[in-house]
């Protein structure tokens, strides 16, 4: 793994983790589903416009169209939609910790349902991840964390896990930015309907809200997604996913820094255990790849 790939991986993990803090700011003052739908609409149109200027086409291969639709539904509409709704009632740090368990869920599902080989190191990593989550959830539930919000976050992780296992090699064949933009539009359309039907259209405008929304549109929405696809092309999906082990730490640290969320003792212990578990699982998969 070269220096450019390492720096790109660190940038992806940092931007990805920061998305939960900016989302928490947004959902405090604006309807979550409609806000996310608007974010996807703007990000998608920008992505498609840049892709066209770069000469990319929307004449995708069948595999790319499948990836576009599946990820548009599972990642953008369900995964992010459920997280935005959940963060109305739970802290950004907790949502980011749960979301960071996705590599563990992918490793477990591949091992159990798809008969993928997993070494004893990987199995121990799965167990460590489960212990870390249990430590954090036990402490948070005692502190009165909202159970409904937690359940939504775990459903979101399951949705992205299914998408990841269903569609592999989504970045092959070029047109990366076009695929990203089209995925955003799929998510925007799917979220617009329930948002218009179910949400109160009340927005408490402030500079903080505008800044958080703009950041979410550009950085997690476009930049982080593009970095991820670039990283997968450069070093492969298994090696790229190793950087996910940083997400629990970055997610908690950024939420504490910008939102003033408390750093609990069991959060720190649980985050360290989850990070070790994710790293073990990804290293085990990388060895077998």
């Amino acid at each position: 793994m070269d220096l450019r790939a390492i720096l790109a991986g660190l940038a992806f993990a940092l931007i990805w983790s920061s998305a939960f803090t900016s989302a928490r700011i947004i959902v405090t003052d604006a309807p979550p589903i409609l806000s996310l739908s608007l974010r996807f609409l703007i990000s998608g149109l920008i992505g498609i416009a840049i892709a066209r200027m770069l000469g990319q086409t929307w004449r995708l291969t069948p595999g790319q169209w499948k990836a576009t639709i599946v990820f548009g539904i599972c990642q953008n509409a369900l995964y992010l939609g459920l997280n935005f709704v959940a963060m109305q009632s739970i802290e950004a740090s907790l949502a980011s910790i749960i979301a960071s368990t996705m590599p563990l869920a992918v490793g477990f599902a591949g091992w159990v349902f798809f008969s993928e080989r997993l070494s004893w190191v990987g199995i121990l990593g799965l167990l460590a991840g489960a212990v870390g989550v249990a430590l954090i959830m036990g402490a948070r539930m005692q502190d009165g964390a909202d159970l409904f919000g937690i359940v939504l976050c775990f459903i979101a992780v399951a949705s992205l896990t299914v998408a990841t296992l269903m569609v592999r090699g989504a970045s092959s064949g070029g047109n990366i930015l076009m695929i990203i933009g089209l995925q955003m539009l799929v998510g925007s359309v799917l979220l617009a309907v329930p948002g218009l039907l179910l949400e109160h259209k009340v927005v408490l405008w402030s500079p903080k809200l505008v800044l958080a929304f703009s950041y979410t549109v550009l950085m997690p929405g476009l930049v982080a997604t593009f970095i991820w696809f670039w990283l997968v092309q450069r070093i492969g999906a298994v090696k790229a996913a190793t950087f996910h082990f940083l997400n629990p730490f970055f997610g908690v640290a950024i939420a504490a820094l910008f939102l003033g969320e408390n750093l609990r003792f069991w959060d720190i212990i649980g985050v360290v255990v989850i990070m070790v578990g994710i790293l073990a699982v990804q290293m085990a998969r990388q060895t077998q790849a």
Side-chain angles (χ1 to χ4, degrees):
M1 191 182 300
D2 57 47
L3 180 60
R4 289 181 65 187
I6 292 173
L7 293 176
L10 291 173
F12 165 77
L14 185 62
I15 297 171
W16 187 94
S17 301
S18 70
F20 293 89
T21 293
S22 60
R24 174 70 171 170
I25 295 172
I26 293 169
V27 302
T28 301
D29 295 331
I33 298 177
L34 285 176
S35 298
L36 189 57
S37 177
L38 180 60
R39 169 204 150 175
F40 284 143
L41 177 62
I42 297 173
S43 297
L45 292 177
I46 293 174
I48 291 172
I50 296 175
R52 293 297 294 162
M53 286 189 290
L54 294 175
Q56 296 184 18
T57 176
W58 38 58
R59 294 179 181 176
L60 308 180
T61 66
Q64 289 176 327
W65 274 118
K66 178 183 177 183
T68 297
I69 295 172
V70 169
F71 276 105
I73 296 171
C74 294
Q75 175 179 278
N76 295 341
L78 293 176
Y79 172 74
L80 290 173
L82 291 171
N83 270 296
F84 263 58
V85 173
M87 277 187 285
Q88 289 182 299
S89 60
I90 66 172
E91 293 182 334
S93 57
L94 180 54
S96 68
I97 290 170
I98 297 173
S100 70
T101 63
M102 192 274 290
L104 297 173
V106 171
F108 178 78
W111 178 42
V112 173
F113 299 109
F114 293 90
S115 300
E116 293 182 357
R117 293 179 58 191
L118 197 62
S119 68
W120 65 270
V121 174
I123 295 173
L124 288 177
L126 290 176
L127 292 174
V131 169
V133 171
L135 289 173
I136 294 171
M137 289 301 106
R140 290 297 186 108
M141 292 301 294
Q142 286 185 346
D143 288 344
D146 181 59
L147 180 60
F148 180 68
I150 291 173
V151 170
L152 289 183
C153 287
F154 276 110
I155 295 174
V157 170
S159 172
L160 188 54
T161 299
V162 170
T164 302
L165 292 170
M166 282 181 60
V167 182
R168 307 187 185 193
S171 61
S172 62
N175 295 317
I176 296 176
L177 196 53
M178 180 62 72
I179 294 172
I180 294 171
L182 292 173
Q183 285 178 6
M184 300 286 182
L185 294 188
V186 171
S188 177
V189 171
L190 291 175
L191 290 169
V193 176
L196 290 170
L197 292 176
L198 302 175
E199 290 188 328
H200 296 290
K201 291 76 174 176
V202 178
V203 179
L204 303 177
W205 292 101
S206 67
K208 181 175 68 173
L209 174 62
V210 173
L211 181 61
F213 184 81
S214 300
Y215 175 84
T216 303
V217 167
L218 296 175
M219 298 304 291
L222 286 173
V223 176
T225 308
F226 181 80
I227 291 174
W228 173 253
F229 277 97
W230 180 87
L231 197 61
V232 168
Q233 280 193 328
R234 190 172 183 88
I235 64 176
V238 175
K239 289 183 179 179
T242 304
F243 288 99
H244 279 293
F245 91 96
L246 293 169
N247 290 334
F249 169 75
F250 281 152
V252 170
I254 293 171
L257 180 63
F258 289 96
L259 300 178
E261 295 185 1
N262 293 328
L263 279 175
R264 301 164 177 83
F265 172 77
W266 287 112
D267 285 348
I268 297 172
I269 299 299
V271 162
V272 171
V273 174
I274 291 173
M275 289 175 65
V276 171
I278 293 173
L279 186 59
V281 170
Q282 293 306 132
M283 294 299 290
R285 296 181 70 202
Q286 181 175 325
T287 302
Q288 296 164 4

